[in-house]
Amino acid sequence: MYEKEREEMVERLVKWGYLTKPEIIAAFKKVQRHEFTPANVRGYAHVDQPLPIGYGQTISAPSMIAIMLESLELGPKQKVLEIGTGSGYNAALIAEIVGGEGKVFTIERVAELAEFGRDNLQRTGYGRVNVILGDGTCGYEAEAPYDRILVTACAPELPKPLVEQLKVGGKLGAPVGQHYMFQTWTVAEKRSENEISVRECGGCSFVPLVGKYGWK
Ligand code: SAM
């Protein structure tokens, strides 16, 4: 179901230049986006726009997800922490890219969405993704350090615990800015225990990251 729509979505993202890396293209082809979208918006699953998933939250537009995943240089065997499980779609893509020897942890603060994401992941064969209910601005110390940390809600600044829980050489991607506007997709690389380099990769619009090291 929806195979043609998914194929055409990927073709557009490649043509527009959002998708370039073969392993990320393969993941977009394989993960069934319509399985992660609520029934009332499923018909729009392959349109390039964010869609509502309830509780005032969204599943990001495919092009925005492509920007996030490409900018973080995800690859096989990595240990990845995602903040903001939502529908679980992004976590499924990450699980495809890191493969069976990689590990994916994803944290969601809204209990109903953690359950929605977990159910979607299990039903589609990504039960190996660990869904954790909690405040992702504090990271997940139990499994730190991570090769990659990806934040899918907008923070006022890079949350300190997330920088601390990165491996040296690891990368953290997050939208940084105001509520719904003046946001920049930001990628930080941990050069040493005490040094990070920060690259701003263009404008974006995300829901707020709410928590101890986010918006109150
Ligand atoms: N990655 C998701 C997907 O693939 O559907 C989309 C995420 S949506 C744009 C952002 C999510 O971040 C929402 O589900 C929201 O509840 C969650 N969120 C906001 N603040 C959070 C926090 N401090 N910890 C964990 N999740 C948070």
Side-chain angles (χ1 to χ4, degrees), residues 53 57-60 65 82-91 107-110 113 134-137 152-153 206-211:
I53 54 173
Q57 307 303 323
T58 55
I59 171 173
S60 302
I65 297 174
E82 181 198 37
I83 314 302
T85 311
S87 68
Y89 175 65
N90 204 18
I107 310 182
E108 174 57 56
R109 69 181 281 275
V110 178
L113 286 177
D135 176 5
T137 67
T152 68
F206 282 81
V207 295
L209 181 76
V210 179

Side-chain angles (χ1 to χ4, degrees), residues 17-151:
Y18 290 109
L19 284 179
T20 64
K21 297 189 170 71
E23 59 279 19
I24 302 185
I25 295 173
F28 266 81
K29 282 186 177 170
K30 186 154 180 205
V31 179
Q32 303 194 17
R33 185 169 159 91
H34 69 275
E35 293 284 359
F36 294 84
T37 46
N40 62 331
V41 290
R42 192 157 295 145
Y44 301 97
H46 303 92
V47 178
D48 196 35
Q49 64 181 54
L51 295 172
I53 54 173
Y55 309 93
Q57 307 303 323
T58 55
I59 171 173
S60 302
S63 58
M64 190 64 235
I65 297 174
I67 291 171
M68 295 194 269
L69 298 182
E70 292 249 343
S71 67
L72 278 186
E73 295 175 335
L74 288 160
K77 301 185 185 175
Q78 288 174 344
K79 190 179 200 183
V80 182
L81 175 67
E82 181 198 37
I83 314 302
T85 311
S87 68
Y89 175 65
N90 204 18
L93 290 169
I94 297 169
E96 271 299 325
I97 297 163
V98 302
E101 289 183 62
K103 284 191 174 161
V104 186
F105 299 87
T106 177
I107 310 182
E108 174 57 56
R109 69 181 281 275
V110 178
E112 291 86 347
L113 286 177
E115 205 178 315
F116 178 60
R118 190 181 290 116
D119 283 353
N120 290 339
L121 286 160
Q122 274 172 0
R123 184 168 33 77
T124 50
Y126 297 99
R128 67 181 187 275
V129 173
N130 300 278
V131 179
I132 299 135
L133 176 63
D135 176 5
T137 67
C138 300
Y140 188 54
E141 184 70 47
E143 288 288 341
Y146 302 94
D147 296 295
R148 299 288 184 268
I149 301 179
L150 196 151
V151 185

